[in-house]
Amino acid sequence: MSTPYPFTAIVGQDDLRLGLLLNAVSPAVGGVLVRGEKGTAKSTAVRALAALMPEVSVVPVCRFSCDPASPDPACPDGPHAEAAGVSRAARTVELPVGASEDRLVGALDIERALSEGVKAFEPGLLADAHRGILYVDEVNLLHDHLVDLLLDAAAMGASYVEREGVSVRHAARFLLVGTMNPEEGELRPQLLDRFGLTVEVAASRDTDERVEVVRRRLAYDDDPEGFAARWAEEETALRERIAAARALLPRVVLGDGVLRQIAATCAAFEVDGMRADIVMARTATALAAWAGREEVTADDVRQAALLALPHRRRRNPFDAPGLDEDKLDQTLDEAGPQENNDGDDDPDPGPDGGGDGGGGGGVPPQADGDRTPPPAEDDDTPSQAPDSAPDAPGRSAGAEQQPVAAAEPFRTKMLSVPGLGEGAAGRRSRARTAHGRTTGAVRPQGALTKLHLSATVQAAAPHQRARGRSGRGLVVRRDDLRQATREGREGNLVLFVVDASGSMAARQRMSAVKGAVLSLLLDAYQRRDKVGLVTFRGKEAEVALPPTSSVDAAAARLESLPTGGRTPLAAGLLKAHDVLRVERLRDPSRRPLLVVVTDGRATGGPEPVALAGRAARLHQAEGTASVVVDCESGYVRLGLAGELARELGGTAVTLDELRADSIAGLVKDVTAAGRAA
């Protein structure tokens, strides 16, 4: 076994180390999520923590790490007779992103279960992690069905395996630690809330500190055992401090005043549910024990809030993480002990007493005052629509206008790719998946994962006499087993092609367009899609964001998108074609959905309309599913976006029709050329 990097040798990263140590002191805190850029010692710190965890006493013959002092009465290896336990180090079990369901929860021997009627169960990673650490690197890339299983186990402290009438349950209580790079996509809110604490890590910008990081790492790589020996004394001291804090923890007092500060803080930051209050209370208690105190202070509450609340106050993936520390300090001061408070001072002036009029629940007023009617339809020369840009009259066709803010996002219709795919699990288009409704049965290729019971019985039944069946049991051979085929949903590559030309430059129109794209990005986040962004204006198109799982990166590029110039529609479509061609080579199973956001105009260069038509037919020939979001406004409409949709072999929807609550219906299927039957 390789020698782990010593925890005490990690340079800097104070929040990361503190978050891990608090969980070592009090596992009830609920784990920690480590967010940060690559190369910031996230995985190194988590693996180093295992060496500091106290040993656990287990039943010698139990595969599920039962505690001999209180064994699990439902343990599959039980019941356990009274016997002396053996001590071993707490395990750190790593859950790979690409793990199967059987690897996580365990697997049943279906053949023995059918033929012999026994529960032959092979434990999975959840059983291995019981009373230890379950570490998920790149947790934001974990498949949805594994996330669901992980959520269930973390919530109930047990893992259940239910298959074809055979049921197994075992205890699964573990310290959940996850690491992720936010650039690769955000975490599902349900799993995010399961982590007690979150810490943000980044590489130091201090030269001396960076030099020390490199020096220590090179020394460790040259001689891991020798390097660890040099830090053995510090490791022992830290291990003893953790043990002392654990022993002190039951004696730490959490007073009513401190509880009031915790509750007031969670209410002030409008976090959902009560889990945040409980986690803050446990974290503050662990902080006091770590400091060697028997009473929780306001400073402990403040530090607990900085660790437990930032990831719980995010309402969508585009919200910036973090906490307003000035607001935190003000809340703690107001909720703290008050001198000479006889109850006559009412901090709430009521609806007529000024202030914010009840705070937190209302809709903020528009910063730009009354809305003006939309300007008349403009063309590629912004100066022909002076009402759209009163601050800069007479702007030329090639002039760049400043980015405008996006309108409020809304819930969109579901845009799906036709046919039946086989891509990564998601929530958009129909696909053959490992989870979903059963649609048929096939002979298994490799290990059997999902038994189709009736098909297996039908395959085995004709051979019972030839196999000499004499009892009640069914004689089942390997060739009789049938794998269930299932249909669920997949995630797609949603490539946005956004017109940023002068014909889109009217402020209110571009604000609405950005709001629509932002809404579609939110939808892509919820459906676990990859997204990309191509923009075109002036004389060319550019890839503003290569395909990625980070939809918040796409939102940031969209926010800074300038407008102006002519409309090189053909260039935008050709650039999108290049992007999709490369992505098909990288991930051929992930089907693309092309979303073109434009008014359909094409200007600049010789025969721009004909060239745009040829570029559109190129996508149609390859069967790319597409939708055109028609941004044309005004009383006179040319219908150019609809014509573009026909050239693409797709569908056109207006901004109003894109809303899920529009009268046009709740779901809009996207058609594509060469649609499979």
Side-chain angles (χ1 to χ4, degrees):
M1 182 177 179
S2 60
T3 303
Y5 191 92
F7 191 88
T8 50
I10 296 173
V11 179
Q13 306 295 12
D14 295 338
D15 288 344
L16 169 59
R17 291 186 294 162
L18 178 61
L20 293 172
L21 289 171
L22 290 177
N23 276 277
V25 171
S26 175
V29 166
V32 59
L33 173 65
V34 185
R35 296 165 45 95
E37 58 196 22
K38 51 188 176 292
T40 49
K42 300 188 297 295
S43 300
T44 299
V46 175
R47 295 187 176 105
L49 178 67
L52 303 175
M53 298 289 287
E55 291 188 338
V56 295
S57 179
V58 299
V59 175
V61 295
C62 180
R63 298 172 297 166
F64 300 87
S65 303
C66 278
D67 186 348
S70 57
D72 181 9
C75 177
D77 285 354
H80 299 297
E82 293 185 7
V86 296
S87 294
R88 62 162 174 79
R91 292 172 178 161
T92 296
V93 177
E94 295 193 28
L95 172 59
V97 170
S100 66
E101 179 181 339
D102 287 344
R103 186 71 186 98
L104 178 62
V105 301
L108 287 168
D109 189 333
I110 301 296
E111 187 170 357
R112 289 190 62 194
L114 287 174
S115 60
E116 302 175 28
V118 298
K119 296 180 181 179
F121 181 72
E122 185 67 27
L125 296 177
L126 291 179
D128 293 341
H130 180 47
R131 304 176 66 200
I133 301 172
L134 181 61
Y135 171 45
V136 189
D137 192 16
E138 305 293 353
V139 63
N140 51 321
L141 303 182
L142 199 63
H143 289 302
D144 277 1
H145 69 283
L146 296 182
V147 170
D148 293 335
L149 293 169
L150 200 56
L151 288 176
D152 290 341
M156 297 183 294
S159 175
Y160 293 84
V161 181
E162 303 276 354
R163 288 189 180 170
E164 314 300 341
V166 182
S167 175
V168 173
R169 172 214 170 273
H170 65 82
R173 291 182 294 274
F174 45 81
L175 170 59
L176 181 60
V177 180
T179 57
M180 59 174 284
N181 184 348
E183 294 178 355
E184 297 173 341
E186 281 297 336
L187 198 60
R188 273 179 61 184
Q190 295 94 326
L191 184 56
L192 191 64
D193 188 56
R194 291 294 180 187
F195 287 97
L197 311 179
T198 184
V199 294
E200 299 278 341
V201 296
S204 173
R205 298 298 182 256
D206 180 81
T207 302
D208 293 337
E209 196 167 284
R210 294 175 73 98
V211 168
E212 186 62 22
V213 170
V214 175
R215 181 182 290 120
R216 293 185 187 182
R217 186 69 211 190
L218 293 177
Y220 170 77
D221 291 341
D222 289 341
D223 183 11
E225 293 183 0
F227 183 83
R230 292 195 292 274
W231 289 89
E233 185 175 344
E234 289 83 351
E235 290 282 287
T236 301
L238 185 58
R239 191 177 298 109
E240 291 174 350
R241 185 178 175 185
I242 292 173
R246 278 196 168 195
L248 178 61
L249 188 65
R251 304 198 302 272
V252 175
V253 177
L254 189 69
D256 289 342
V258 170
L259 279 173
R260 183 170 292 277
Q261 285 183 312
I262 291 172
T265 301
C266 293
F269 285 97
E270 300 180 343
V271 295
D272 296 331
M274 295 298 297
R275 184 175 284 117
D277 303 63
I278 297 171
V279 170
M280 273 189 65
R282 290 172 174 167
T283 305
T285 304
L287 281 162
W290 179 247
R293 289 183 275 102
E294 294 188 3
E295 186 174 354
V296 176
T297 67
D299 288 339
D300 295 329
V301 176
R302 186 182 192 279
Q303 183 65 55
L306 293 174
L307 292 171
L309 295 188
H311 61 300
R312 290 187 165 88
R313 58 172 297 274
R314 302 186 78 190
R315 293 297 183 265
N316 62 63
F318 309 139
D319 291 339
L323 216 60
D324 185 340
E325 296 193 30
D326 291 337
K327 180 179 179 180
L328 174 61
D329 291 335
Q330 180 182 352
T331 302
L332 292 175
D333 289 342
E334 292 174 353
Q338 300 294 325
E339 298 293 337
N340 300 323
N341 187 359
D342 59 3
D344 293 332
D345 295 330
D346 184 5
D348 184 3
D352 297 325
D356 59 6
V363 178
Q366 297 294 329
D368 56 353
D370 296 334
R371 295 188 179 273
T372 57
E377 181 73 20
D378 54 353
D379 60 13
D380 292 310
T381 307
S383 59
Q384 293 183 7
D387 293 338
S388 67
D391 54 332
R395 214 182 310 229
S396 66
E400 181 178 294
Q401 300 187 29
Q402 293 300 317
V404 298
E408 189 72 17
F410 51 85
R411 189 168 65 93
T412 68
K413 294 177 182 177
M414 189 179 76
L415 307 175
S416 61
V417 178
L420 195 63
E422 296 181 346
R427 299 183 175 183
R428 185 173 297 278
S429 304
R430 294 173 55 229
R432 298 183 184 91
T433 61
H435 298 268
R437 63 185 181 89
T438 301
T439 58
V442 295
R443 290 182 181 271
Q445 301 295 324
L448 178 72
T449 57
K450 295 291 184 181
L451 177 74
H452 195 295
L453 182 58
S454 61
T456 299
V457 172
Q458 289 175 12
H463 308 289
Q464 295 305 296
R465 179 175 297 180
R467 293 172 183 174
R469 173 184 170 184
S470 59
R472 298 178 61 185
L474 189 69
V475 181
V476 179
R477 303 280 173 82
R478 174 68 186 177
D479 290 343
D480 301 329
L481 299 179
R482 294 295 182 268
Q483 174 87 18
T485 58
R486 307 207 172 185
E487 182 178 314
R489 295 280 175 176
E490 67 177 359
N492 298 110
L493 166 60
V494 182
L495 182 61
F496 294 94
V497 182
V498 180
D499 185 349
S501 65
S503 68
M504 304 282 288
R507 283 192 170 273
Q508 286 188 335
R509 180 201 276 186
M510 199 61 201
S511 177
V513 168
K514 286 188 175 182
V517 178
L518 189 64
S519 303
L520 290 166
L521 284 172
L522 278 168
D523 182 68
Y525 163 73
Q526 294 165 351
R527 301 189 187 281
R528 314 300 287 171
D529 295 316
K530 290 180 68 174
V531 297
L533 179 62
V534 172
T535 64
F536 59 94
R537 66 182 187 87
K539 296 182 179 180
E540 60 185 15
E542 65 173 344
V543 181
L545 182 71
T548 174
S549 296
S550 179
V551 295
D552 50 343
R557 302 293 173 88
L558 181 70
E559 182 180 359
S560 61
L561 179 66
T563 57
R566 295 188 177 276
T567 311
L569 177 58
L573 295 174
L574 291 173
K575 182 67 71 174
H577 182 268
D578 290 342
V579 171
L580 294 180
R581 177 178 54 81
V582 173
E583 286 302 308
R584 284 190 180 98
L585 296 175
R586 290 177 176 172
D587 190 357
S589 64
R590 187 180 289 269
R591 297 186 295 164
L593 173 61
L594 184 68
V595 180
V596 185
V597 185
T598 181
D599 57 7
R601 297 191 179 196
T603 60
E607 299 183 343
V609 176
L611 186 59
R614 288 197 294 271
R617 289 190 292 275
L618 192 60
H619 287 280
Q620 182 186 34
E622 295 188 352
T624 302
S626 59
V627 59
V628 177
V629 180
D630 185 358
C631 302
E632 192 174 27
S633 61
Y635 296 106
V636 179
R637 296 175 179 265
L638 302 179
L640 299 176
E643 180 60 31
L644 175 63
R646 286 189 290 275
E647 297 278 7
L648 286 166
T651 304
V653 295
T654 65
L655 290 175
D656 289 337
E657 291 172 344
L658 191 61
R659 295 179 179 270
D661 54 359
S662 71
I663 61 174
L666 294 179
V667 177
K668 188 78 173 180
D669 288 326
V670 181
T671 60
R675 177 171 180 171

